[in-house]
Amino acid sequence: GETAALRLAYRHYERDHYYDAITGDYTGNPGEVDNNSYRLGFLWQPSESFSAVFKLDYHDLDFGGNPTTVFGQEPLGVVEQFANFEYTDESTRAVLDLKYTFANGVTLSSLSGYQDIQSVNNLDLNATISPPVPTNIYIFNSRIDADFYSQEFNLLSADNQAFRWTVGLFWQKQDSELPPWQEGGFNFIGGPFYPNLAFPWFSSPWINEEEDRAVFAHARYRINERFELEAGARYNEYERDQFTNYTFGDGSAPPTIPFATPGGDRQSIEESDEDWQVALNIDASDTQYFYGLISSGHVSSGVNIFPPFGVYKPMEVINYEVGWKARLANDQFHTQFSAYYQTFDDYQANFAFDSLVPGLNNPELRNAETESTIMGVEFSGQARVGDFSLDFGFAYLESELGTFSSVIDPFLTAPNNVVNLSGAEVPFAPPFTGNIGMAYDIRLGEFTLTPRVDFSHQDETQAALWPDPQVTLEARDLVNAQLTFGPNSGRWSAVAWGTNITDEQYVSGIQNNGTLYYAAPPIQYGLRVKINF
């Protein structure tokens, strides 16, 4: 009708696993994907001053389970697994966005959200490569149920003013629960107590409640046609409460022996933080734009989920950044450049510490004792000359973390495994990354054929703070290509595509200090058709 609109959407994605072979005594469908998503959108706009948008999503995502491999496995696509595989995410999300604009141009907005998630992840914890009779089965099972509630109010000035501002309030609550092991919650089976596989040998329910409250303001002042000053501030309060009740046994009977406090442990934390930003934007000309900013942000504090439940402080970062954007060569060449320097106080990093239970490598978040730094530059560009187009980008990064004293190096043996770590690189942060893509439009009367090729490079990086080969992600070079054909009217198009067309085999992710390795997708190709009615 004239004031209301409705939209329905559905998405389905399905594929088999892309491993050469998955063998072993497992259940489920590891690596096989069957995802379904649904969305209902409703718009009501009875007048120019008021609008309401409601969206309801339902996602039923089945990833089959995460196959893993071990360090140095060749070929990478052949794995042997022993687990009751499952990896599912089922969620419902509702969002209501309300906007009302007053006669003076000021807008009041309200954004309300709710999300319910149930997620299950069961996998082989050590990806054992075994003889015909397996010697060490180690299974991890986990399920989480979570609810998220959020509300935000914003009051925004009119856009046509030299002085523009926004003030707002924000609230979010998260309730999460890992149920007892009888309901598929957090538990370990086998491992150091193999062949006892009847029951978990270590488990705990986990009840976690978090709440965020914030008030914020942001303003932009156009000094003249060339200069604009902006500033913002945010005050945030955070609360968290968690409950655990760890028990263990030998796997032949239900785990009943208390690992921490009999009956369970509860921890609570509260904190408040301030974030801010100041920036100067300069329109040097119609084609040249510069900016400089200083901003402060933080990552909240927390409490470790494993005993002894150590509390870690919030991580605070100060970011100094300058940038340049330009439109050159009669608007045929666009560029973007930025350089940044960041200092971190109390950098948060994950370590292992000695456990009283064999086979359990307890993770522990800790803060660096001295300042950490990250610096880098990024440059990208897009060019269009006639029927030829080009885009590229590169980034260079250097990082140096502060001091962590008396931490356990998991790749050394006791008593020489307690070390002082200082100056390590940030994990998953390769020093250099780059990409370039080229395409050319071939005119065929009323149709166009466009071949395109893309190349990307990523330097070697670490998946943990340790410079050990077992947590090293090797450098990779990837090539993608596609061929697009369709009428110039845009009524329809067909794209034949391929990713990783040189079929590079590499590890894309490492977890648990080098015990779980995830293989990257091999060559994939397909046909995508789009029709506009």
Side-chain angles (χ1 to χ4, degrees), residues 135-323:
T135 59
N136 186 11
I137 294 176
Y138 203 179
I139 299 171
F140 174 69
N141 296 322
S142 182
R143 172 187 161 193
I144 188 169
D145 301 318
D147 293 285
F148 299 84
Y149 311 84
S150 65
Q151 176 63 52
E152 182 172 333
F153 294 104
N154 288 281
L155 194 64
L156 302 92
S157 66
D159 287 335
N160 58 355
Q161 306 293 320
F163 179 69
R164 292 170 290 165
W165 48 265
T166 301
V167 294
L169 299 171
F170 174 79
W171 171 83
Q172 177 174 285
K173 190 173 189 298
Q174 174 184 342
D175 297 328
S176 306
E177 180 179 0
L178 296 174
W181 64 267
Q182 296 91 335
E183 301 174 31
F186 179 85
N187 66 86
F188 299 82
I189 298 175
F193 294 96
Y194 178 82
N196 292 343
L197 302 174
F199 297 94
W201 64 267
F202 187 75
S203 74
S204 174
W206 180 60
I207 300 174
N208 183 64
E209 298 179 356
E210 299 179 58
E211 186 171 349
D212 281 281
R213 299 177 296 273
V215 56
F216 55 90
H218 186 267
R220 304 168 73 102
Y221 178 64
R222 174 62 69 173
I223 301 173
N224 54 42
E225 64 179 9
R226 297 299 185 195
F227 294 91
E228 180 185 61
L229 182 67
E230 66 173 297
R234 179 185 183 97
Y235 173 76
N236 187 81
E237 294 181 342
Y238 172 72
E239 296 180 7
R240 179 179 173 185
D241 182 88
Q242 76 170 16
F243 171 81
T244 55
N245 185 18
Y246 285 98
T247 56
F248 70 96
D250 65 359
S252 64
T256 57
I257 303 173
F259 179 58
T261 304
D265 295 88
R266 184 179 296 276
Q267 300 83 33
S268 299
I269 57 172
E270 295 184 16
E271 71 172 58
S272 60
D273 298 278
E274 302 83 29
D275 301 327
W276 50 265
Q277 174 194 2
V278 177
L280 178 64
N281 305 316
I282 305 172
D283 292 310
S285 68
D286 293 339
T287 60
Q288 302 281 338
Y289 168 80
F290 298 88
Y291 73 89
L293 68 86
I294 305 175
S295 60
S296 167
H298 78 280
V299 176
S300 299
S301 63
V303 56
N304 284 286
I305 189 174
F306 288 111
F309 308 110
V311 175
Y312 50 92
K313 295 181 289 186
M315 178 173 67
E316 300 184 19
V317 57
I318 304 294
N319 176 57
Y320 307 86
E321 185 174 339
V322 294

Side-chain angles (χ1 to χ4, degrees), residues 93-96 111-115 148-152 171:
R93 179 177 59 181
V95 178
L96 179 62
L111 187 63
S112 308
Y114 169 75
Q115 187 168 9
F148 299 84
Y149 311 84
S150 65
Q151 176 63 52
E152 182 172 333
W171 171 83

Side-chain angles (χ1 to χ4, degrees), residues 25 84 129 176 215 248 279 296 344 350 499 512:
D25 186 13
N84 52 318
I129 303 300
S176 306
V215 56
F248 70 96
S296 167
F344 293 80
N350 200 11
T499 57
N512 290 5

Side-chain angles (χ1 to χ4, degrees), residues 252-415:
S252 64
T256 57
I257 303 173
F259 179 58
T261 304
D265 295 88
R266 184 179 296 276
Q267 300 83 33
S268 299
I269 57 172
E270 295 184 16
E271 71 172 58
S272 60
D273 298 278
E274 302 83 29
D275 301 327
W276 50 265
Q277 174 194 2
V278 177
L280 178 64
N281 305 316
I282 305 172
D283 292 310
S285 68
D286 293 339
T287 60
Q288 302 281 338
Y289 168 80
F290 298 88
Y291 73 89
L293 68 86
I294 305 175
S295 60
S296 167
H298 78 280
V299 176
S300 299
S301 63
V303 56
N304 284 286
I305 189 174
F306 288 111
F309 308 110
V311 175
Y312 50 92
K313 295 181 289 186
M315 178 173 67
E316 300 184 19
V317 57
I318 304 294
N319 176 57
Y320 307 86
E321 185 174 339
V322 294
W324 165 65
K325 299 180 181 180
R327 303 194 308 271
L328 308 172
N330 295 322
D331 211 27
Q332 295 182 109
F333 183 37
H334 295 185
T335 63
Q336 304 84 35
F337 172 81
S338 65
Y340 58 90
Y341 178 79
Q342 299 174 342
T343 62
F344 293 80
D345 288 333
D346 298 312
Y347 183 91
Q348 298 171 356
N350 200 11
F351 295 94
F353 64 88
D354 281 328
S355 172
L356 299 177
V357 178
L360 186 65
N361 183 18
N362 285 7
E364 178 189 31
L365 270 169
R366 293 177 53 177
N367 298 104
E369 300 156 20
T370 57
E371 186 180 77
S372 306
T373 60
I374 298 177
M375 66 184 73
V377 295
E378 299 175 348
F379 182 64
S380 59
Q382 307 82 37
R384 179 80 184 192
V385 180
D387 292 327
F388 174 76
S389 60
L390 168 74
D391 58 85
F392 65 89
F394 73 82
Y396 178 75
L397 177 149
E398 288 186 2
S399 60
E400 184 175 340
L401 298 186
T403 300
F404 293 92
S405 61
S406 300
V407 295
I408 294 178
D409 187 332
F411 304 103
L412 299 176
T413 57

Side-chain angles (χ1 to χ4, degrees), residues 410-427:
F411 304 103
L412 299 176
T413 57
N416 301 318
N417 60 341
V418 180
V419 300
N420 288 339
L421 184 67
S422 179
E425 296 181 353
V426 173

